[in-house]
Amino acid sequence: QVQLVESGGGSVQAGGSLRLSCAASGSIYRSACMGWFRQSPGSERAGVAAHYTGGAGRSYYADSVEGRFTISLDRGRREVYLHMTNLQPEDTATYYCAARWSGDCSLGAPYDYWGQGTQVNVFS
């Protein structure tokens, strides 16, 4: 059984930083895509960043976060992180960790497993 548990959300002033964590249990972490998505009220869920766990694969980023957010992995801890800097009010959303069995980690691909989400609020 696959389980993804996010943590690290909170409230921060614009220009600040946060780090989200996602702990993966079950068989999903090895050779899989791990990604972060977000959804704000009235909007569809959208991809933020993703990375393949099985090797030196590339990272994928949404244009809106490129240069500000970084996805990273700790394979020993089976965790994936989203380092968010220069946060802006438009980054306010519920952030979800997701995973899929594939080497294609593009943000438009269908992801199979989802965490329950962690809330990020950015105020000006």
Side-chain angles (χ1 to χ4, degrees):
Q1 183 176 355
V2 174
Q3 196 169 23
L4 304 173
V5 180
E6 305 97 334
S7 61
S11 295
V12 64
Q13 193 168 18
S17 300
L18 281 174
R19 188 186 80 160
L20 305 183
S21 300
C22 173
S25 61
S27 59
I28 190 62
Y29 193 85
R30 190 171 183 179
S31 301
C33 295
M34 300 295 296
W36 288 96
F37 292 73
R38 67 185 182 185
Q39 187 171 22
S40 54
S43 299
E44 293 187 357
R45 188 159 54 189
V48 176
H51 194 87
Y52 182 60
T53 66
R58 58 166 288 191
S59 295
Y60 295 77
Y61 293 99
D63 290 344
S64 58
V65 307
E66 184 84 54
R68 299 189 297 124
F69 292 11
T70 303
I71 188 170
S72 64
L73 308 173
D74 185 328
R75 292 180 173 85
R77 291 177 177 266
R78 295 165 56 90
E79 292 186 348
V80 59
Y81 308 105
L82 185 67
H83 307 260
M84 306 184 293
T85 64
N86 192 21
L87 283 159
Q88 300 300 314
E90 53 266 33
D91 296 315
T92 295
T94 302
Y95 284 72
Y96 297 90
C97 178
R100 70 187 298 251
W101 287 111
S102 175
D104 175 12
C105 299
S106 56
L107 298 175
Y111 278 66
D112 304 307
Y113 304 99
W114 296 86
Q116 293 190 326
T118 185
Q119 182 66 34
V120 172
N121 296 312
V122 184
F123 56 92
S124 56

PDB file of all heavy atoms in Angstrom, residues 7 43 56 73 95 123:
ATOM      1  N   SER A   7       4.187  17.504   4.852  1.00  0.00           N
ATOM      2  CA  SER A   7       4.323  18.360   6.026  1.00  0.00           C
ATOM      3  C   SER A   7       5.091  19.611   5.614  1.00  0.00           C
ATOM      4  O   SER A   7       5.680  19.654   4.525  1.00  0.00           O
ATOM      5  CB  SER A   7       5.031  17.638   7.166  1.00  0.00           C
ATOM      6  OG  SER A   7       6.336  17.251   6.774  1.00  0.00           O
ATOM      7  N   SER A  43      -9.645  27.055  -8.601  1.00  0.00           N
ATOM      8  CA  SER A  43      -8.709  26.707  -9.675  1.00  0.00           C
ATOM      9  C   SER A  43      -8.520  25.207  -9.747  1.00  0.00           C
ATOM     10  O   SER A  43      -8.748  24.490  -8.775  1.00  0.00           O
ATOM     11  CB  SER A  43      -7.350  27.368  -9.427  1.00  0.00           C
ATOM     12  OG  SER A  43      -7.472  28.766  -9.399  1.00  0.00           O
ATOM     13  N   ALA A  56      19.578   9.741 -12.318  1.00  0.00           N
ATOM     14  CA  ALA A  56      19.869  11.171 -12.472  1.00  0.00           C
ATOM     15  C   ALA A  56      18.943  11.812 -13.489  1.00  0.00           C
ATOM     16  O   ALA A  56      19.388  12.471 -14.421  1.00  0.00           O
ATOM     17  CB  ALA A  56      21.319  11.347 -12.897  1.00  0.00           C
ATOM     18  N   LEU A  73      15.424  15.181  -3.471  1.00  0.00           N
ATOM     19  CA  LEU A  73      15.105  13.859  -2.932  1.00  0.00           C
ATOM     20  C   LEU A  73      16.093  13.473  -1.850  1.00  0.00           C
ATOM     21  O   LEU A  73      17.260  13.841  -1.915  1.00  0.00           O
ATOM     22  CB  LEU A  73      15.159  12.804  -4.042  1.00  0.00           C
ATOM     23  CG  LEU A  73      14.367  13.037  -5.308  1.00  0.00           C
ATOM     24  CD1 LEU A  73      14.693  11.955  -6.330  1.00  0.00           C
ATOM     25  CD2 LEU A  73      12.897  13.061  -4.999  1.00  0.00           C
ATOM     26  N   TYR A  95      -0.885  22.274  -1.242  1.00  0.00           N
ATOM     27  CA  TYR A  95       0.167  21.589  -1.985  1.00  0.00           C
ATOM     28  C   TYR A  95       0.072  20.085  -1.726  1.00  0.00           C
ATOM     29  O   TYR A  95      -0.012  19.645  -0.579  1.00  0.00           O
ATOM     30  CB  TYR A  95       1.536  22.112  -1.581  1.00  0.00           C
ATOM     31  CG  TYR A  95       1.840  23.467  -2.185  1.00  0.00           C
ATOM     32  CD1 TYR A  95       1.184  24.608  -1.730  1.00  0.00           C
ATOM     33  CD2 TYR A  95       2.752  23.602  -3.223  1.00  0.00           C
ATOM     34  CE1 TYR A  95       1.433  25.847  -2.300  1.00  0.00           C
ATOM     35  CE2 TYR A  95       3.016  24.833  -3.794  1.00  0.00           C
ATOM     36  CZ  TYR A  95       2.344  25.954  -3.325  1.00  0.00           C
ATOM     37  OH  TYR A  95       2.606  27.184  -3.893  1.00  0.00           O
ATOM     38  N   PHE A 123       1.135  35.957   2.550  1.00  0.00           N
ATOM     39  CA  PHE A 123       0.453  37.232   2.708  1.00  0.00           C
ATOM     40  C   PHE A 123       1.416  38.379   2.389  1.00  0.00           C
ATOM     41  O   PHE A 123       2.619  38.289   2.589  1.00  0.00           O
ATOM     42  CB  PHE A 123      -0.115  37.367   4.120  1.00  0.00           C
ATOM     43  CG  PHE A 123       0.894  37.212   5.219  1.00  0.00           C
ATOM     44  CD1 PHE A 123       1.546  38.326   5.739  1.00  0.00           C
ATOM     45  CD2 PHE A 123       1.209  35.956   5.724  1.00  0.00           C
ATOM     46  CE1 PHE A 123       2.474  38.190   6.744  1.00  0.00           C
ATOM     47  CE2 PHE A 123       2.139  35.812   6.728  1.00  0.00           C
ATOM     48  CZ  PHE A 123       2.774  36.925   7.242  1.00  0.00           C
TER      49      PHE A 123
END
